[in-house]
Amino acid sequence: MLLDIVFIVLGVALVLYGADRLTEGASALARRMNIPEIIIGLTIVAAGTSAPELFVSLMSALKGTPDLAVGNVVGSNTMNAMLIVGCAAMVAPMTISRSTVKKDIPFSVGASVLLMLLALNSFLGRWDGVVLLIGFSAFMAYTLLQAKKGEAEPQTEVKQQNPWLSILYVLMGLGLLVGGSNLFVDSASSVAAQLGVSEGVIGLTVVAGGTSLPELATSVVAARKGQSAIAIGNVIGSNVFNILLILGLTATISPLAITGITTVDMAVMLLSVALVWLFSFTRFTVERWEGALLVGGYLVYLGWLLYNL
């Protein structure tokens, strides 16, 4: 089991490094093709931050462990809204941008409700995946429309880069994502089997935590520097990507039978983002006590998962 744990850590490291290289290379190529930076930020960079969840979920589904795939998304979204936003707010009262309150959080709530409805029969088929992908297309169309109106947040500057180096980074990133996610899924499944824990619980905790740690670190640092608005917008926005794009694409390629993810897990995911939305209406700020409430709620949820092992 110790070796499997080492492989889990190594797999996470490879996936995260691969996502960075893929994003950097693809962004540089897009910039060289004169694609507007706002479009690069809203598509390539945003998708790059969700690449770890995408490849881990896709590999889980293809390897016949759908609970890991769904647990990864449900667990990541719950962690994003409760633990990451909560910790950042406890470090410093956290500003939520108007764009996040008006667009990202409502879409995240809607995507969570849609997933709960589609998963009522404990199965996500190809048509369910298509419905989720249509929802993602609507989200991207709305986002790009707002960007053209000048209402989107400023985007990260894209580095100039030799085109051959950019192509190498893209290929290297893809290879590391595939290899790392393979190693991660195999090792997580092995640990679950040895501990007698369901793959759903492993997906909700270990897998979700591994793919969400970078967002946690980034958001806490941003909060300390007083730059939380964009960071938290990206964290909540990634919840929409996770459900609509990742589960949509995964279910379309390989239908998912859900056995280890319960209605309670789905409800906690929905409640977590709904609470952030509620707190953000108070002067577009999440106060320290509200952050503490979110973190406390997440710890209670973890305790419930452990109690029901």
Side-chain angles (χ1 to χ4, degrees):
M1 185 184 294
L2 182 60
L3 187 59
D4 282 323
I5 293 172
V6 171
F7 284 158
I8 286 175
V9 174
L10 179 60
V12 170
L14 290 174
V15 165
L16 298 180
Y17 185 74
D20 279 344
R21 296 286 72 76
L22 175 65
T23 303
E24 184 179 339
S27 298
L29 284 175
R31 183 70 183 86
R32 186 168 288 274
M33 294 165 64
N34 294 320
I35 295 174
E37 299 208 1
I38 188 72
I39 305 299
I40 297 172
L42 291 171
T43 54
I44 296 171
V45 175
T49 60
S50 292
E53 285 91 343
L54 172 59
F55 276 80
V56 168
S57 290
L58 190 55
M59 286 299 170
S60 298
L62 292 175
K63 286 176 172 290
T65 55
D67 281 342
L68 274 180
V70 180
N72 177 29
V73 167
V74 173
S76 290
N77 282 16
T78 303
M79 186 174 287
N80 284 349
M82 298 188 85
L83 187 63
I84 295 178
V85 174
C87 285
M90 288 172 68
V91 170
M94 189 188 60
T95 302
I96 306 280
S97 71
R98 290 180 180 271
S99 172
T100 300
V101 175
K102 289 165 57 180
K103 180 199 70 173
D104 293 330
I105 301 181
F107 262 105
S108 185
V109 171
S112 300
V113 172
L114 179 60
L115 176 60
M116 287 184 70
L117 292 174
L118 292 177
L120 283 175
N121 61 350
S122 299
F123 184 77
L124 288 177
R126 286 195 169 89
W127 282 112
D128 296 322
V130 169
V131 169
L132 292 172
L133 289 176
I134 290 172
F136 177 73
S137 300
F139 172 70
M140 287 306 301
Y142 179 78
T143 300
L144 294 174
L145 183 63
Q146 295 301 102
K148 287 182 180 178
K149 291 180 180 178
E151 296 182 15
E153 295 93 344
Q155 300 300 313
T156 306
E157 183 180 347
V158 178
K159 295 179 182 178
Q160 291 288 347
Q161 198 174 78
N162 182 294
W164 289 110
L165 182 60
S166 300
I167 293 170
L168 177 63
Y169 274 3
V170 170
L171 295 175
M172 180 195 302
L174 285 171
L176 289 173
L177 280 164
V178 172
S181 56
N182 251 309
L183 184 62
F184 187 55
V185 170
D186 287 344
S187 302
S189 299
S190 176
V191 168
Q194 291 177 65
L195 292 176
V197 178
S198 75
E199 289 170 349
V201 171
I202 293 292
L204 288 165
T205 54
V206 176
V207 179
T211 55
S212 294
L213 276 178
E215 286 93 337
L216 175 60
T218 300
S219 296
V220 169
V221 170
R224 288 184 61 188
K225 294 181 178 179
Q227 302 170 338
S228 58
I230 293 175
I232 298 306
N234 289 340
V235 165
I236 298 298
S238 76
N239 282 16
V240 181
F241 269 72
N242 287 348
I243 293 175
L244 299 181
L245 176 62
I246 293 174
L247 282 185
L249 193 59
T250 303
T252 302
I253 294 173
S254 179
L256 303 165
I258 308 168
T259 56
I261 309 300
T262 67
T263 304
V264 173
D265 299 317
M266 296 278 190
V268 171
M269 175 187 68
L270 175 59
L271 177 63
S272 64
V273 73
L275 278 175
V276 173
W277 199 19
L278 176 65
F279 293 157
S280 65
F281 276 115
T282 55
R283 297 176 299 165
F284 295 97
T285 303
V286 178
E287 303 290 348
R288 280 193 173 93
W289 71 267
E290 293 170 327
L293 189 62
L294 288 170
V295 172
Y298 185 75
L299 293 177
V300 169
Y301 172 59
L302 275 186
W304 181 85
L305 284 177
L306 293 173
Y307 178 75
N308 286 280
L309 287 178

